[in-house]
Amino acid sequence: MFPKIIEKYMTLFEQTKRDVNQIRKKQLAVSSVFVLLTVGVFGYGFYWFTNSVRTGALEVGVLLMFVSVIGYISTSMARLVEDSSLLYDSLLWIEKYFNFLEYHDNFENGKQEFPDEFKKIEVKDLSFTYPFSDDEVLHNVSFSVKNGEKIRIVGENGSGKSTLVKLLMRFYDPTTGAISIDDDNLKDFNIFDLHKNLSATFQDFSHFKLTLKENVITGYSFNEERVNNVLKAAGLENLLANDHLQLSMILAKDFENGTDLSGGQWQKIALARDLYANGKIEFLDEPTAALDAKSEAEIYERFLRENNQKTIFFVTHRLSAVKFADKVLFLDSGKVSGFDTHANLLNKNAKYQEMYNLQKNAYI
């Protein structure tokens, strides 16, 4: 790509240079007129004062004062122009700053604590549009999930799967409609207490340049036995045994004796972090995207074994994972196209059947 990038850079550079030169020519013309006018006014003034001193109409001290005033005014005018230019640049940034200060998202933190036990999660007539956008992503989404059910969210790219997960975790509030746990609106819960009871693994999880232990516990109190257990449950027992990876080892080669992991191993670290958080409701958004099919199946089996009693929402494009779900929520263009068991959807929903067969046929 090097020749193409250099060619593109040179084209943009030449175009920018031409634009800048045109602006400079206009500025030169304006400045020249201003300089000529200034020289004419000051020149005539100097001639008038000199002639007045020569004829005795004014004292020579007045001429000296005029020269001093000219120098002072010239310096002040130059400083005024320079400061005005700097002020204009600064105001461009200040405008953005004040726009930021004036922005309010109407977020209100509730006071209610998250319940020790709940019976269902209900989404009713939910629609959502992202801030600063006019395009509605989700349209009148409604479904109900019982405590302990495993729900797989499927759909094509852009159907609103990840957005729905973000709303269920209250990263955003619905534009219209509501999400409730039993009869309590999600907005009524204290946001910090709510998030303590949720745990998640996202496809864009974080890599922290910290120790393996700190990457797993992420702020929670440290329990060595539990850390080892969740690492094994996430499929990292071979790494711990064969590579002699210690919990105190920094996962970054920037540091002495530090090490780095593969993409799949980092994804397993993220899953271990999720398990350690031990939320009552789990969210898995493409958690096995960097893993092979065998590792994916093992991870799901272990994960569900560790969290058998929990309510779990998981998003994945691999339809082989449907065997781990009690129900499938099928989203199509931001709407619920089906919400039932995999077998029922396969028999009754033509779009779901088509999507399933397309992926199934790829392995035949």
Side-chain angles (χ1 to χ4, degrees):
M1 291 181 65
F2 181 80
K4 290 294 182 183
I5 291 175
I6 292 298
E7 180 184 351
K8 185 176 181 63
Y9 172 81
M10 293 303 297
T11 302
L12 290 171
F13 178 83
E14 292 297 330
Q15 180 182 339
T16 303
K17 188 172 71 172
R18 287 194 299 270
D19 293 342
V20 170
N21 285 339
Q22 287 179 357
I23 294 172
R24 285 175 174 170
K25 288 176 182 178
K26 291 179 182 178
Q27 291 175 334
L28 177 63
V30 173
S31 299
S32 298
V33 172
F34 179 75
V35 168
L36 289 174
L37 182 63
T38 303
V39 170
V41 172
F42 286 160
Y44 176 77
F46 185 77
Y47 167 77
W48 186 83
F49 274 101
T50 303
N51 192 53
S52 297
V53 170
R54 185 176 58 81
T55 58
L58 295 174
E59 299 291 335
V60 68
V62 176
L63 178 61
L64 295 175
M65 181 176 289
F66 173 72
V67 173
S68 299
V69 168
I70 289 176
Y72 180 77
I73 291 176
S74 298
T75 303
S76 299
M77 288 295 291
R79 183 66 180 271
L80 177 63
V81 171
E82 182 181 357
D83 288 350
S84 297
S85 177
L86 292 172
L87 179 62
Y88 176 75
D89 287 343
S90 299
L91 287 175
L92 292 176
W93 294 102
I94 292 295
E95 182 182 9
K96 294 181 179 180
Y97 173 69
F98 279 115
N99 289 338
F100 171 73
L101 289 180
E102 291 171 1
Y103 173 73
H104 296 287
D105 59 5
N106 299 319
F107 178 85
E108 293 183 4
N109 192 9
K111 297 180 180 180
Q112 192 168 324
E113 292 186 359
F114 196 86
D116 294 330
E117 297 288 342
F118 64 91
K119 294 181 180 179
K120 66 177 181 178
I121 301 170
E122 187 172 10
V123 177
K124 189 173 182 181
D125 298 328
L126 181 148
S127 296
F128 179 69
T129 302
Y130 278 102
F132 311 110
S133 174
D134 297 325
D135 299 326
E136 192 174 75
V137 181
L138 295 172
H139 322 287
N140 298 317
V141 172
S142 296
F143 61 92
S144 181
V145 175
K146 295 178 182 178
N147 186 13
E149 282 190 318
K150 314 297 183 283
I151 307 300
R152 183 174 178 273
I153 305 173
V154 302
E156 296 179 351
N157 289 333
S159 59
K161 302 184 299 295
S162 295
T163 299
L164 178 59
V165 170
K166 292 173 184 176
L167 290 166
L168 288 168
M169 297 189 71
R170 210 194 169 193
F171 290 171
Y172 299 93
D173 285 332
T175 306
T176 59
I179 302 171
S180 59
I181 296 179
D182 290 337
D183 296 324
D184 300 314
N185 194 304
L186 205 65
K187 295 180 181 181
D188 296 333
F189 295 107
N190 179 277
I191 191 67
F192 301 104
D193 190 56
L194 172 67
H195 286 165
K196 283 180 182 178
N197 287 277
L198 308 178
S199 50
T201 303
F202 296 103
Q203 53 188 317
D204 54 348
F205 54 86
S206 297
H207 298 194
F208 297 111
K209 294 184 178 181
L210 301 171
T211 63
L212 173 59
K213 176 189 75 174
E214 291 167 326
N215 265 280
V216 173
I217 67 173
T218 54
Y220 290 94
S221 58
F222 173 58
N223 183 304
E224 184 173 357
E225 181 181 1
R226 191 167 161 224
V227 169
N228 285 317
N229 287 339
V230 297
L231 286 171
K232 291 177 182 178
L236 288 169
E237 67 273 18
N238 291 334
L239 182 69
L240 294 170
N242 300 333
D243 293 356
H244 307 290
L245 186 63
Q246 304 296 319
L247 296 181
S248 59
M249 186 174 289
I250 296 179
L251 301 184
K253 289 187 176 180
D254 309 51
F255 301 92
E256 186 177 1
N257 299 323
T259 187
D260 201 356
L261 304 176
S262 68
Q265 289 168 338
W266 268 114
Q267 197 146 36
K268 291 177 180 179
I269 294 290
L271 281 165
R273 184 185 305 152
D274 185 343
L275 286 169
Y276 197 86
N278 197 30
K280 293 175 183 175
I281 305 174
E282 293 275 359
F283 297 91
L284 306 177
D285 188 0
E286 294 287 350
T288 56
L291 303 180
D292 56 78
K294 180 182 177 182
S295 296
E296 180 190 47
E298 290 176 352
I299 289 297
Y300 274 124
E301 287 174 1
R302 291 181 179 183
F303 192 91
L304 292 171
R305 192 186 311 129
E306 292 283 332
N307 299 278
N308 188 44
Q309 304 300 320
K310 295 181 181 179
T311 305
I312 302 177
F313 295 88
F314 54 101
V315 178
T316 174
H317 284 97
R318 295 178 183 173
L319 288 171
S320 58
V322 294
K323 64 182 180 181
F324 302 113
D326 297 315
K327 288 184 179 179
V328 176
L329 178 65
F330 179 35
L331 293 178
D332 183 27
S333 301
K335 298 178 181 179
V336 176
S337 182
F339 183 54
D340 208 333
T341 64
H342 167 65
N344 288 342
L345 285 177
L346 207 56
N347 291 329
K348 300 176 182 178
N349 193 301
K351 286 187 177 181
Y352 182 81
Q353 186 182 56
E354 180 186 7
M355 187 176 67
Y356 180 80
N357 288 332
L358 281 172
Q359 193 167 132
K360 184 185 72 173
N361 293 335
Y363 291 94
I364 299 176

